[in-house]
Amino acid sequence: MEFIITTITKVNTDLIYQAQALAQKLNKKFVTRNNLSLERLKQDNNVDNILIFTKDGLKAHTSQGDLFFHLNMAQLRILNLNRNQKDHMVEAMDLKPKMSVLDCTLGLGTDATVASYIVGENGKVVGLESATLIYLITKYGLANFNHDNIAINHSLRRIESFNLHYLDYLKAQGDNSFDIVYFDPMFRKPIQDSANFKPMRAIANMEQLQSKALVEALRVAKKRVVIKETKDSMEFERLNISQIYGGKYSSVSYGVIDKG
């Protein structure tokens, strides 16, 4: 995906250097902002997307709005777990301290953050994101976002992230390399009231989970493969998954293949 790199209008020298360094590393064009509008920059450079360095982190300007790193529901979910409330993803994974999780579709890292919090410092969470813009925003956020809860910060820092397609990564792993392999592909039927995900859908990898990837995941997983989808999706039926977790009123469900 083509994009240019720039900064906010009111910028310091250090931020410009950071943006220029990343542009050089990625072989992307850095454009000095010069108080120009983002629409003007897109028009002048014939691109639909812009990666912007801000004082608070990286932000992607897309045709569907701006995407930036945030904890989304991770903070509330961790709070609920501390209150001994259930989390459907944690239940579907049967997640415990010291376990290892491969999140094949990292996105903004919401589920990976919850998983990292549960497995703790002696566990392991690896996240893969094939969409470069999303990966860059998330990688920066995982390394730099600061929350009042130190345990959440530690959970973010522990996540290893890679800008790779999950099939390539899975093929390179040995048998039973991770306790859990997890997929949260972009939903076939998007949740209509989730406006926050519109910018992500504009730049995300929208491909369906393929059977060959599921075969590799089952080889790599020691305990379970877990797939997240909307409740009324036909994906579980297509993938021949019958073990489903999720709440009665939840908009999403988790399909589980237990290696038993």
Side-chain angles (χ1 to χ4, degrees), residues 118-142:
I118 293 297
V119 303
E121 60 182 14
N122 294 316
K124 178 180 181 180
V125 176
V126 173
L128 311 175
E129 179 52 59
S130 62
T132 301
L133 276 173
I134 298 175
Y135 166 76
L136 292 171
I137 291 168
T138 301
K139 180 179 175 63
Y140 189 94
L142 294 175

Side-chain angles (χ1 to χ4, degrees), residues 82-101:
N82 287 336
R83 293 171 175 168
N84 294 319
Q85 296 181 18
K86 293 181 178 180
D87 184 276
H88 299 307
M89 184 199 76
V90 173
E91 284 193 325
M93 292 183 180
D94 193 25
L95 205 57
K96 296 177 175 62
K98 300 182 182 181
M99 290 177 68
S100 56
V101 177

Side-chain angles (χ1 to χ4, degrees), residues 161-174:
S161 60
F162 299 97
N163 185 200
L164 293 169
H165 190 284
Y166 52 73
L167 185 56
D168 296 329
Y169 187 88
L170 285 166
K171 286 180 177 179
Q173 306 308 302

Side-chain angles (χ1 to χ4, degrees), residues 64-128:
Q64 298 297 315
D66 292 345
L67 181 70
F68 55 91
F69 182 84
H70 53 86
L71 286 182
N72 200 2
M73 290 296 292
Q75 176 180 337
L76 178 60
R77 289 168 62 187
I78 289 172
L79 178 63
N80 288 337
L81 284 165
N82 287 336
R83 293 171 175 168
N84 294 319
Q85 296 181 18
K86 293 181 178 180
D87 184 276
H88 299 307
M89 184 199 76
V90 173
E91 284 193 325
M93 292 183 180
D94 193 25
L95 205 57
K96 296 177 175 62
K98 300 182 182 181
M99 290 177 68
S100 56
V101 177
L102 175 61
D103 184 343
C104 290
T105 47
L106 180 62
L108 291 179
T110 300
D111 290 334
T113 301
V114 175
S116 180
Y117 185 84
I118 293 297
V119 303
E121 60 182 14
N122 294 316
K124 178 180 181 180
V125 176
V126 173
L128 311 175

Side-chain angles (χ1 to χ4, degrees), residues 171-191:
K171 286 180 177 179
Q173 306 308 302
D175 296 354
N176 303 317
S177 298
F178 289 84
D179 291 312
I180 307 295
V181 176
Y182 178 67
F183 295 95
D184 177 15
M186 297 301 289
F187 295 152
R188 298 298 96 194
K189 296 179 65 176
I191 301 172

